[in-house]
Amino acid sequence: MHGAPLYIAETAPTKVRGLQLSLKECFIVGGILLGYAGGYLIEGEEGGWRVLLSSSVALSDVLSLGLLKLPDSPRRSLQRGGDANDARVALKILRGDKATPGTIDAEMRAVTAASEKSGVGGVGGVGELLRKKNVRPLFVGLSVVLFQQTTGQPSVLYYAEQVFIAAGFDASEGAGVSVILGVFKLVMTGFAVKYVDSVGRRPLLLSGVAAMTLATVALGACSDALATGDPADSLNTARLSVLAIFAYVGAYQVSFGPIAWLLTGEIFPQRVRSAAVGTATLTNFASNYLVALYLPTMIASYGQAGTYYIFSVMGVIALASIYLTVPETKGKSLEEIEAEMTR
């Protein structure tokens, strides 16, 4: 799943690279929604989970057959010293019949020049990521996927069911609530897909993270009020918490959700892109694991409200980091981004 941004970034046309990379997140969210809907339909049925799990086999088979027909990435092929004619054929397949020979020639020249500049005949390993010219893109890529987890994304969803129950939803309605939340996530991801190549990555990322930060502040205030306030107002406060969760989820789906992996596919230099995306994926999963591991300890030490406020502070730090370090990549070829990030 996390190798997809690398392939899509290397093969997509510049003008729609953001759209195609964001569509990956859109399909993931759509798949999760189908899982939620399936869970809702089989709820209470004995052995229903077997039907739900086995139903994914057909889709997996279709995906596997489709992968067999995908052409190799021309950039990857040339970087490894592959035949230029094979790379040209792959590029022509990727661009379709409407692409003119002149357009193909111009893109081939740019890709070939970039491969020769970085050193044809191989790719760099993890050790090469620490070279001076790679430090800036490495920091940007790793910080974005790190902040994706440390600003509360897994934690807010872990405790969402408790918030919904406090707001008056019955515990047995959990599957239905999950479907509603899944539909909302899909709609907001679609918003990001539509505007990422016109509005740009930075505006969506900055505005989304700002809204996430405000939402965690609201969740902290509501949690504090529920713990210490008037029980008569608890239902209204819990309902405000539900709105804050929807605000958080929506903001995440137009920012960190699709754009973190979009940037990961774009900003790394060609020679070390594979190693860098792998390192970013490891950072993402490791940070998710650590946040989930220490979340109960944080709540026990600081309370649920205090934990939300910690995520708010992380959101402010993330905003500062994004504002100061993340470049706008809209409308730029991978070669132009590499030149900007390694100069």
Side-chain angles (χ1 to χ4, degrees):
M1 178 176 76
H2 293 294
L6 189 153
Y7 179 81
I8 298 171
E10 291 187 351
T11 57
T14 298
K15 290 183 178 180
V16 293
R17 188 177 61 241
L19 181 147
Q20 291 191 7
L21 276 162
S22 300
L23 273 175
K24 170 230 174 216
E25 176 73 12
C26 200
F27 278 105
I28 290 173
V29 174
I32 294 171
L33 174 58
L34 288 176
Y36 286 158
Y40 179 76
L41 291 174
I42 67 167
E43 188 175 11
E45 294 187 16
E46 184 177 354
W49 62 270
R50 295 187 179 91
V51 176
L52 186 62
L53 287 179
S54 60
S55 64
S56 64
V57 173
L59 292 175
S60 300
D61 289 342
V62 172
L63 177 62
S64 298
L65 291 173
L67 289 172
L68 294 175
K69 293 190 176 183
L70 287 178
D72 196 6
S73 161
R75 289 180 168 88
R76 177 183 179 278
S77 179
L78 291 173
Q79 182 64 55
R80 290 180 174 271
D83 185 74
N85 288 327
D86 291 342
R88 181 184 174 85
V89 169
L91 183 61
K92 192 171 182 180
I93 293 171
L94 289 164
R95 295 297 174 262
D97 296 333
K98 292 184 179 181
T100 64
T103 301
I104 299 294
D105 289 339
E107 190 166 356
M108 278 295 298
R109 284 194 297 270
V111 173
T112 302
S115 297
E116 291 175 348
K117 183 179 179 181
S118 62
V120 175
V123 294
V126 175
E128 196 168 324
L129 291 174
L130 299 178
R131 291 186 178 180
K132 184 178 179 180
K133 70 174 185 177
N134 296 326
V135 170
R136 184 187 174 201
L138 181 65
F139 175 82
V140 172
L142 297 190
S143 66
V144 169
V145 295
L146 179 66
F147 287 129
Q148 185 188 47
Q149 300 298 325
T150 59
T151 49
Q153 181 267 335
S155 311
V156 169
L157 295 181
Y158 289 158
Y159 289 91
E161 184 176 351
Q162 294 181 13
V163 174
F164 282 111
I165 292 173
F169 291 91
D170 192 276
S172 63
E173 297 174 339
V177 171
S178 295
V179 172
I180 295 171
L181 198 58
V183 170
F184 181 67
K185 289 174 68 174
L186 185 61
V187 170
M188 296 308 295
T189 307
F191 179 90
V193 170
K194 179 175 176 60
Y195 291 107
V196 69
D197 278 319
S198 56
V199 174
R201 284 68 157 154
R202 273 177 61 89
L204 288 179
L205 197 55
L206 288 168
S207 59
V209 175
M212 287 169 58
T213 303
L214 292 174
T216 50
V217 171
L219 283 167
C222 289
S223 297
D224 205 10
L226 286 170
T228 61
D230 186 350
D233 295 329
S234 61
L235 182 59
N236 290 332
T237 304
R239 288 172 177 171
L240 286 176
S241 296
V242 170
L243 292 177
I245 285 179
F246 272 92
Y248 181 95
V249 169
Y252 177 86
Q253 290 305 141
V254 301
S255 56
F256 275 140
I259 297 177
W261 294 109
L262 165 57
L263 288 171
T264 300
E266 291 181 323
I267 62 167
F268 294 121
Q270 176 66 39
R271 183 175 173 82
V272 297
R273 188 171 291 128
S274 296
V277 171
T279 303
T281 302
L282 180 62
T283 301
N284 184 265
F285 277 97
S287 56
N288 180 286
Y289 168 76
L290 291 173
V291 170
L293 180 65
Y294 288 105
L295 183 62
T297 303
M298 290 172 62
I299 291 177
S301 301
Y302 307 108
Q304 195 161 332
T307 302
Y308 282 131
Y309 290 140
I310 290 173
F311 289 138
S312 301
V313 172
M314 292 303 301
V316 173
I317 296 172
L319 276 172
S321 177
I322 293 166
Y323 181 81
L324 294 172
T325 66
V326 175
E328 179 56 73
T329 57
K330 178 187 71 172
K332 298 176 183 176
S333 69
L334 294 184
E335 290 69 37
E336 290 171 331
I337 296 170
E338 179 173 345
E340 179 182 338
M341 294 296 292
T342 58
R343 64 189 176 191

